[in-house]
Amino acid sequence: MAAELEGSKCLSGLLSGLAQDTFYGHPGITEELLRSQLYPEVSLEEFRPFLEKMKGILKSIASADMDFNQLEAFLTAQTKKQGGITSEQAAVISKFWKSHKTKIRESLMNQSCWDRGLRSLSWRVDGKSQSRHSAQIHTPVAIMELEIGKSGQESEFLCLEFDEVKVNQVLKKLSEVEESISTLMQPA
Amino acid sequence: MEESSEQQLDAKSKVTSQLIDFEWKLGMAVSSDSCRSLKYPYVAVMLKVADHSGQVKNKSFEMTIPQFQNFYRQFKEIAAIIETV
């Protein structure tokens, strides 16, 4: 194996590139780009399996959402394998996961959410005052605008009007959701 | 032309709908093809809204728990204000 591949100097950069492609969905991170930028002395034939190995390791770690104990055990096993990684490389991978774990996990969560999300919320409360033709006095109303959409798509803006009764009805529902969340989060 | 989202909501330029029903579901994403250990809870919401013509439509979206908590907090704020107006 080329000496450069055994080293760990450019591995951090490689892992960043892999994360960009595999998790953050940035286009254009080809294996040729990574090779020419980080391992220019290495042939594509030699680089390819090395890249696949690192990609496989990173994907395994992310897929299992490894904590640091699991990570240690996993990487140690990789160093003992035939055709595995060096302990220097294990250290680089460990450091990379520790600093990128949260961001990668967020990306994975986003990737598995196929419905639209609530992108923004704005509101105001108006007080309707009495009019000559209406017996209504002081009917406050809340106007809320929800921006619903997902990345890569145009948002839908939904504008809703609520009177006090409706606000309280929704509030009651929301407190039910909160209660469910509390129950879910309680240790088993 | 709709203005881009701004802090001040100018309701006069928007046509408002009425909320008929608010349905919700608390889900837990366990695993997916890209991540075997997802384990994240989310709140899925289905709003039934009626526009000015009376036509009822379903609007659905998902929120993470922190997003939901922000949504809930804002509703509580609205309730507090609307009570005093």
Side-chain angles (χ1 to χ4, degrees), chain B residues 30-74:
Chain B
V30 173
S31 182
S32 76
D33 65 321
S34 52
C35 185
R36 293 292 185 268
S37 184
L38 271 176
K39 293 182 313 220
Y40 80 85
Y42 61 90
V43 178
V45 173
M46 173 76 85
L47 302 176
K48 282 189 158 46
V49 298
D51 63 19
H52 55 276
S53 73
Q55 189 183 30
V56 178
K57 288 204 169 114
N58 286 340
K59 307 282 181 190
S60 70
F61 59 90
E62 261 182 44
M63 290 185 272
T64 62
I65 299 303
Q67 282 175 341
F68 165 76
Q69 280 162 347
N70 176 55
F71 185 76
Y72 187 24
R73 187 180 50 79
Q74 301 226 33

Side-chain angles (χ1 to χ4, degrees), chain A residues 60-73:
Chain A
S60 293
I61 297 171
S63 188
D65 190 30
M66 288 187 192
D67 62 29
F68 303 139
N69 288 329
Q70 290 169 314
L71 184 67
E72 274 301 303

Side-chain angles (χ1 to χ4, degrees), chain A residues 167-184:
Chain A
V167 167
N168 286 316
Q169 280 174 358
V170 175
L171 208 58
K172 181 164 186 296
K173 294 243 177 174
L174 297 179
S175 75
E176 289 166 5
V177 181
E178 173 98 318
E179 214 180 290
S180 284
I181 293 171
S182 300
T183 309
L184 183 69

Side-chain angles (χ1 to χ4, degrees), chain A residues 105 123 145 156 159 166, chain B residues 14 17 19 38 59 74:
Chain A
R105 189 166 156 72
W123 55 269
E145 185 182 74
E156 176 183 359
C159 200
K166 191 119 259 168
Chain B
K14 320 265 192 232
S17 301
L19 181 69
L38 271 176
K59 307 282 181 190
Q74 301 226 33

Side-chain angles (χ1 to χ4, degrees), chain A:
Chain A
M1 180 160 69
E4 294 87 354
L5 294 180
E6 296 222 342
S8 55
K9 236 177 48 165
C10 299
L11 185 56
S12 192
L14 186 74
L15 294 171
S16 282
L18 281 172
Q20 291 290 330
D21 175 47
T22 311
F23 304 116
Y24 308 145
H26 289 170
I29 317 264
T30 60
E31 64 183 9
E32 178 49 35
L33 179 74
L34 291 171
R35 187 201 70 80
S36 59
Q37 293 285 306
L38 299 165
Y39 299 89
E41 307 297 310
V42 179
S43 71
L44 193 59
E45 287 70 40
E46 271 208 277
F47 180 69
R48 192 170 283 146
F50 172 73
L51 182 67
E52 286 309 304
K53 180 168 67 180
M54 291 305 164
K55 187 191 268 195
I57 288 174
L58 192 58
K59 278 181 134 173
S60 293
I61 297 171
S63 188
D65 190 30
M66 288 187 192
D67 62 29
F68 303 139
N69 288 329
Q70 290 169 314
L71 184 67
E72 274 301 303
F74 176 73
L75 290 174
T76 304
Q78 294 297 312
T79 61
K80 295 190 156 55
K81 266 172 64 168
Q82 178 75 277
I85 59 177
T86 66
S87 39
E88 258 183 5
Q89 290 173 332
V92 172
I93 296 170
S94 177
K95 188 168 170 213
F96 181 83
W97 178 243
K98 283 173 186 172
S99 49
H100 287 78
K101 182 182 155 99
T102 307
K103 197 172 171 201
I104 289 177
R105 189 166 156 72
E106 238 177 71
S107 279
L108 287 171
M109 277 163 60
N110 280 335
Q111 273 178 32
S112 57
C113 173
W114 301 321
D115 203 343
R116 300 177 302 167
L118 183 64
R119 300 182 98 178
S120 75
L121 174 67
S122 51
W123 55 269
R124 74 176 208 196
V125 175
D126 283 358
K128 279 189 186 156
S129 47
Q130 186 177 26
S131 87
R132 204 162 103 182
H133 305 290
S134 158
Q136 265 187 346
I137 311 169
H138 234 20
T139 315
V141 73
I143 298 158
M144 181 181 271
E145 185 182 74
L146 296 99
E147 183 188 356
I148 300 169
K150 54 196 292 186
S151 67
Q153 282 178 15
E154 218 177 282
S155 290
E156 176 183 359
F157 289 88
L158 186 60
C159 200
L160 301 172
E161 210 177 89
F162 300 82
D163 61 15
E164 195 173 346
V165 170
K166 191 119 259 168
V167 167
N168 286 316
Q169 280 174 358
V170 175
L171 208 58
K172 181 164 186 296
K173 294 243 177 174
L174 297 179
S175 75
E176 289 166 5
V177 181
E178 173 98 318
E179 214 180 290
S180 284
I181 293 171
S182 300
T183 309
L184 183 69
M185 300 307 210
Q186 264 169 28

